Amino acid sequence: VQLQASGGGLVQAGGSLRLSCVASGHTFSSYTMGWFRQAPGKEREFVAAIAWSAGSDDYTYYADSMEGRFTISRNNAKDTVYLQMDSLKPEDTAEYYCAADRNPYGWNRPAIARNLEVWGQGTLVTVSS
């Protein structure tokens, strides 16, 4: 079971990037998937999560500092979760990690985040001023 993140790179402040995370080895359509980030010298922090829903809309939630600038989405047919990042700031510079878990709640709580079932490798986002 693997999560493969991609899409990081160097971008100027105010620019945009879209990260992708592809799951393999397992079907994640019923899993919550999401993103975390870790800047140099800082602790890992929650970015966004999207829970699978049998209804028309997936349940999403974001860290307060990113809501309105970042958008998480998923394509279950491709076992892929995306993070669209707009209006990027230098403080968004970090290694971004994707994760998956059957629990949809509390990803913004460190005690839950550290025990998420599956983690991918990071993809580096660098925002220049």
Side-chain angles (χ1 to χ4, degrees):
V1 176
Q2 288 187 324
L3 299 177
Q4 181 74 37
S6 62
L10 175 63
V11 63
Q12 288 189 329
S16 299
L17 279 176
R18 188 175 84 153
L19 306 183
S20 300
C21 176
V22 181
S24 62
H26 188 79
T27 299
F28 283 87
S29 59
S30 62
Y31 278 59
T32 294
M33 298 182 74
W35 295 91
F36 291 76
R37 70 184 187 184
Q38 187 167 20
K42 295 188 176 181
E43 294 186 352
R44 185 176 62 195
E45 65 174 337
F46 170 74
V47 175
I50 182 167
W52 175 80
S53 172
S56 59
D57 297 319
D58 290 319
Y59 171 64
T60 61
Y61 57 108
Y62 299 86
D64 289 343
S65 63
M66 296 150 216
E67 190 159 14
R69 298 190 299 122
F70 292 6
T71 304
I72 190 170
S73 61
R74 66 192 293 164
N75 184 329
N76 286 337
K78 296 183 178 181
D79 278 331
T80 300
V81 62
Y82 305 98
L83 184 69
Q84 177 67 40
M85 305 185 294
D86 299 318
S87 302
L88 283 163
K89 305 174 182 179
E91 52 264 42
D92 294 318
T93 294
E95 192 86 14
Y96 284 71
Y97 299 88
C98 59
D101 195 275
R102 279 166 280 199
N103 171 32
Y105 304 113
W107 282 41
N108 51 356
R109 296 168 58 186
I112 290 177
R114 70 171 67 99
N115 291 309
L116 294 179
E117 191 171 335
V118 186
W119 287 89
Q121 94 297 347
T123 185
L124 181 62
V125 173
T126 303
V127 184
S128 63
S129 57

